[in-house]
């Protein structure tokens, strides 16, 4: 019997009494850690997802009634503890509210695992490139590659030392090259500079790049002339995550694809990054307004 | 809305349109909701005109999301019920996908026995408050009503809604005695109209029923698609709560094909009913379609309905506000999108449809309401390109005029482009409502499931798929259709599943 069906029996009586919307899993936050000035790691109870998730997959998180549904990559999972790890960059109201939650509090709805798992080669050498919060997305890919016996070299970066995340975790899976924009740690410069050098010196069978759109575009343009297969993970606006809304449509090789069901990973040489950037900006005035109101409420003590 | 308010609105409407007040025979005219002392003659029944549905005035309702139709008051419902001629061989019943015994429930209404009417109705139809609101009666039951031959058919849909709403307010619908447990477990994929109907039927047979829903709220298209002004969420919640009270388990946030596979379900349940809908929106495949301001109707309606974007910033999900909105398509979804855009503040909300009014698949009432609300219609027009500015925001829809040609596979005349007829509809938002197709999420992870070339699941006459014990129904087998057809599948599947489980018990 699926774990959730068993749980459903336990809750059935309660549901019958209250007539309320059932909560089969209580997605409690079991651990919380600030990874960089605006990136937070949450470990959340989601036993089934922890059990079946594969590299590259994501969940949709709906914090509470009235909140947005937001897609977040599963950065890690502990099947025995029944938890998944979410790494969240707090940029707008919804993500700030999410990272404002305390250990012991529960997220109302988590759906997943969604998206197609990463295509992992059997053997060879892979270069994993992570920029900012994208580094957390690279981590499960690197894990999957290691399990397949692929040799992994990671290049990760941030503005300065305090913005570098997942260095230790990726270090367990292979060599890590750290870059900082200001030179305060590791190599001075962008990840793309390090990637260019590595590609010139070493042979890689495949490159995975996850991070800000300009970074993924830059990496893809470096690998294209070399003919190195490059996979990028896209983060368009999404509602249901099951193919129903079409909001996450992206153009790949001139064809419209849905990131939630056809992706989120695509051939970096075929993605229309300009369109992705452009569509990501659709709700900018709304996001600014929501954040302004949120910050005002925080100031006068109404918010969390 | 309370009865008092509804009556007040109805009275106002009646006084405004006093000259149009339908004729009521003397036996019914006085004394409110009273059963006439002796049955009316057929001649007397024929004299009663169809009673109108009280509705929110168009100019008011385009500024709110409250329900348009207010429901018949009891007195009026009883008058309308007297119009039914109680045909021996009632054609209306055969037009109903779930075979509601229409004359019988209407007779109970006419006799003022509303509890009996409710019992009769609920016996045939698991979700009458919903179908009373969203069924295309004019192509199903009412079109076959004998009274339609001379005048207007009995308002079966209005009466169905009246009885269902009355039952929710006045009856305890929890089954007094739970059925004898069969010891069998059935999994249902999707908590939309097909899945909920099947769940209601299967639980009556004593099976242990679990419904898996991908979204965070049960209801499927009833909560993400159909707007509040046509089907209040409260109604769906009531129906869902009634199923739960009867013992149906509903698990939200479970995507079959991702969270669990069909194979896993097969190992844990004795039978499965797949009713996951035709979720994937179809786009027009014209240039400019990915510009900002182009929505699928699914996305637009989901933002506004399920995610309550009309309350932004009180609700967190935003939606763009178009001043001139072009909605492409001629079905109910197109009407819903156009009327929603109007309520979201659009000055012009324009339906762009490639055939003419008479080929539009939308319910007659939706088209009528849309017209009252000032929705504009461009018939015999097909988009060829979405125009946008240098920042990729929509500025218009380039279209081409069409004429009707030979009938196509659907039997409707095929629209044929008129060369050189291109023109532009200036607009800042485009909503694409040209249909949906099968969602591959579930079927991708279940290669044994036989599909047709459109990706829909192939079933036999018992709604069984190519995998024994796995049944399917609703949009996933027929493509985008109606709520009631999905419910009809749910009802039939439940019966066939029970038969299958009984057979299995014998052979086991």
């Amino acid at each position: 019997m699926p774990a959730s069906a068993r749980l459903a029996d336990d809750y059935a009586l309660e549901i019958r009494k209250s007539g309320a919307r059932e909560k089969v899993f209580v997605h409690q936050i079991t651990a919380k850690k600030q990874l960089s000035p605006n990136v937070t790691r949450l470990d959340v109870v989601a036993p089934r997802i922890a059990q079946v998730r594969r590299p590259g997959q994501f969940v949709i998180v709906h914090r509470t009634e009235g909140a947005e549904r937001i897609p977040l990559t599963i950065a890690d999972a502990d099947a025995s503890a029944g938890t998944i790890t979410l790494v969240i960059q707090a940029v707008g109201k919804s993500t700030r509210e999410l990272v404002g939650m305390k250990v012991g509090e529960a997220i109302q709805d988590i759906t997943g695992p969604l998206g197609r798992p990463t295509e992992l080669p059997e053997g060879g050498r892979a270069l994993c490139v992570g920029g900012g919060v994208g580094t957390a997305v690279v981590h499960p890919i690197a894990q999957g590659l290691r399990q397949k016996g692929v040799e992994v070299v990671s290049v990760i970066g941030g503005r300065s030392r305090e913005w570098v995340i997942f260095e230790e975790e990726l270090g367990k899976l292979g060599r890590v090259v750290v870059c900082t924009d200001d030179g305060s740690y590791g190599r001075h410069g962008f990840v793309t500079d390090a990637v260019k050098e590595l590609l010139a010196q070493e042979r890689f069978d495949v490159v995975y790049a996850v991070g800000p759109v300009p970074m993924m575009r830059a990496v893809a343009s470096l690998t294209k002339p070399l003919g190195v297969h490059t996979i990028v993970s896209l983060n368009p606006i999404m509602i249901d995550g099951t193919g129903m809304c079409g909001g996450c449509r992206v153009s790949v090789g001139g064809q419209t694809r849905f990131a939630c069901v056809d992706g989120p990973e695509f051939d970096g040489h075929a993605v229309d990054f300009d369109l992705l950037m452009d569509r990501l900006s659709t709700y900018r005035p709304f996001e600014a307004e929501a954040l302004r109101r949120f910050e005002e409420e925080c100031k006068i003590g109404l918010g969390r | 809305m309370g009865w008092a308010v509804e009556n007040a609105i109805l009275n106002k409407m009646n006084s405004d349109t006093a000259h149009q007040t339908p004729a009521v025979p003397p036996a019914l005219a006085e004394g409110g909701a009273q059963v006439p002392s002796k049955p009316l003659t057929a001649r007397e029944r024929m004299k009663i005109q169809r009673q109108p549905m009280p509705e929110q005035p168009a100019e008011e309702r385009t500024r709110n999301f409250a329900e348009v139709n207010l429901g018949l008051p009891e007195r009026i419902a009883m008058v309308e019920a007297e119009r039914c001629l109680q045909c021996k061989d009632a054609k209306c019943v055969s037009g109903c996908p779930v075979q509601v015994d229409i004359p019988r429930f209407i007779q109970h209404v006419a006799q003022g026995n509303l509890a009996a009417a409710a019992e009769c109705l609920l016996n045939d139809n698991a979700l009458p408050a919903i179908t009373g609101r969203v069924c295309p009666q004019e192509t199903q039951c009412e079109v076959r009503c004998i009274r339609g031959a001379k005048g207007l058919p009995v308002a079966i849909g209005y009466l169905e809604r009246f009885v269902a709403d009355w039952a929710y307010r006045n009856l305890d619908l929890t089954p007094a005695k739970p059925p004898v447990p069969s010891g069998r477990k059935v999994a249902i994929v999707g908590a939309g109209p097909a899945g909920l109907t099947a769940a209601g039927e299967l639980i009556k047979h004593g099976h242990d029923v679990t419904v898996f829903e991908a979204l965070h709220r049960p209801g499927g298209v009833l909560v993400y698609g159909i707007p509040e002004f046509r089907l209040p969420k409260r109604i769906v919640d009531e129906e869902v709560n009634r199923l739960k009270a009867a013992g149906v388990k509903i698990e939200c946030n479970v995507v079959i094909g991702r969270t669990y596979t069909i194979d896993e379900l097969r190992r844990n349940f004795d039978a499965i009913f797949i009713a996951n809908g035709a979720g994937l929106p179809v786009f027009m495949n014209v240039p400019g379609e990915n510009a900002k301001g182009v929505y699928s109707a699914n996305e637009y309606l989901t933002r506004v309905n399920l995610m309550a974007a009309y309350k932004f910033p009180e609700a967190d999900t935003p939606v763009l506000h178009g001043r001139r909105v072009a909605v492409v398509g001629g079905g109910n979804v197109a009407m819903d999108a156009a009327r929603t855009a109007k309520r979201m503040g659009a000055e012009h909300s324009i339906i762009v449809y490639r055939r003419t009014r008479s080929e539009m698949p939308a319910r007659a009432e939706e088209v009528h309401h849309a017209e009252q609300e000032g929705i504009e219609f461009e018939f015999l027009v097909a988009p060829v390109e979405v125009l946008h500015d240098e920042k990729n925001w929509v500025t218009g829809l380039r279209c081409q005029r069409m004429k009707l040609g030979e009938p196509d596979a659907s039997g409707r005349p095929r629209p044929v482009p008129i060369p050189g007829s291109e023109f532009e509809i200036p607009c800042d938002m485009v909503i694409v409502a040209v249909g949906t197709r099968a969602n591959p999420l579930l079927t991708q992870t279940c290669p044994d499931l036989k599909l047709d070339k459109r990706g829909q699941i192939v079933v036999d006459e018992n709604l069984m798929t190519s995998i024994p014990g796995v049944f399917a129904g609703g949009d996933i087998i027929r493509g985008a259709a109606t709520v009631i057809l999905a419910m009809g599948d749910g009802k039939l599947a439940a019966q066939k599943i029970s038969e299958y489980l009984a057979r299995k018990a014998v052979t086991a």
Side-chain angles (χ1 to χ4, degrees), chain B residues 37-52:
Chain B
S37 49
K38 60 175 185 190
L40 299 185
T41 63
R43 186 181 295 261
E44 280 172 319
R45 290 182 198 283
M46 289 299 289
K47 278 199 186 128
I48 314 172
Q49 286 177 28
R50 182 172 161 122
Q51 302 298 300

Side-chain angles (χ1 to χ4, degrees), chain B residues 183-420:
Chain B
R184 296 312 183 92
K185 294 177 65 185
V186 183
I188 297 176
V189 182
L196 292 178
T197 304
E201 296 290 327
L202 288 164
I203 203 84
K204 282 190 215 162
H205 290 109
H207 305 310
D208 182 343
V209 182
T210 306
V211 186
F212 296 97
E213 166 57 44
L215 289 172
H216 61 267
R217 188 172 177 177
V221 73
L222 308 173
V223 296
Y224 76 73
I226 301 178
E228 182 78 14
F229 57 82
R230 199 147 79 79
L231 177 66
K233 305 286 168 290
R234 170 181 57 80
I235 305 278
V236 182
D237 290 346
E238 277 172 357
E239 303 276 20
V240 167
N241 286 336
R242 191 160 57 82
L243 292 176
K244 285 186 195 163
V248 173
K249 284 166 274 189
I250 302 183
E251 289 197 45
C252 291
N253 305 313
V254 177
V255 184
I256 304 302
R258 292 278 195 239
T259 318
Y260 297 101
T261 61
I262 286 290
D263 280 343
E264 283 174 295
L265 292 187
R266 287 184 71 199
R267 287 198 287 276
N268 294 287
F269 292 89
D270 299 295
I272 299 168
F273 178 50
I274 301 173
N276 59 339
L280 234 56
V282 172
F283 284 87
M284 303 176 287
N285 207 12
V286 300
E289 202 159 26
N290 292 331
K292 298 191 293 280
V294 182
Y295 281 118
S296 73
N298 266 7
E299 179 178 4
Y300 184 69
L301 292 171
T302 300
R303 282 179 181 272
V304 178
N305 294 330
L306 179 71
M307 306 310 292
Y310 64 94
K311 292 187 201 157
F312 183 90
E314 276 68 45
D316 290 341
T317 304
V319 69
L320 298 173
H321 293 243
R323 286 179 58 219
R324 288 181 60 90
V325 179
V327 180
V328 183
N332 288 323
V333 177
M335 298 304 136
D336 286 345
R339 296 171 68 198
T340 297
K342 192 85 182 175
R343 283 162 174 78
M344 293 296 291
E347 289 156 28
H348 295 272
S349 183
I350 308 151
I351 293 274
V352 176
Y353 181 55
R354 60 190 186 147
R355 294 187 173 97
T356 73
R357 188 193 164 104
S358 52
E359 287 86 24
M360 275 206 293
R363 291 175 80 215
E365 186 179 49
E366 307 314 326
V367 181
H368 174 64
H369 280 161
E371 282 176 330
Q372 286 179 333
E373 290 167 13
I375 306 301
E376 297 152 50
F377 290 81
E378 284 279 1
F379 291 118
L380 288 169
V381 164
V384 291
E385 184 182 0
V386 178
L387 307 169
H388 53 82
D389 61 17
E390 71 285 356
K391 290 194 168 144
N392 208 25
W393 286 101
V394 170
T395 57
L397 194 60
R398 185 189 294 281
C399 297
Q400 166 171 62
R401 304 252 179 230
M402 314 293 276
K403 62 182 178 197
L404 293 182
E406 295 300 304
D408 63 10
S410 72
R412 295 176 299 176
R414 188 191 305 273
V416 183
I418 301 173

Side-chain angles (χ1 to χ4, degrees), chain B residues 57-100:
Chain B
E59 61 276 18
E60 244 167 63
R61 71 190 192 228
T62 50
R63 294 194 295 269
N64 66 47
F65 276 86
E67 200 174 6
V68 170
N69 284 346
L70 302 173
L72 297 182
E74 186 170 333
R75 176 175 59 88
I76 301 295
M78 288 174 67
V79 171
E80 182 63 28
E82 290 286 9
R83 297 183 66 231
C84 176
L85 300 179
Q86 293 294 318
C87 305
K88 285 280 175 291
D89 175 24
K91 297 278 189 288
C92 52
V93 180
S94 61
C96 173
V98 296
Q99 312 272 297
V100 168

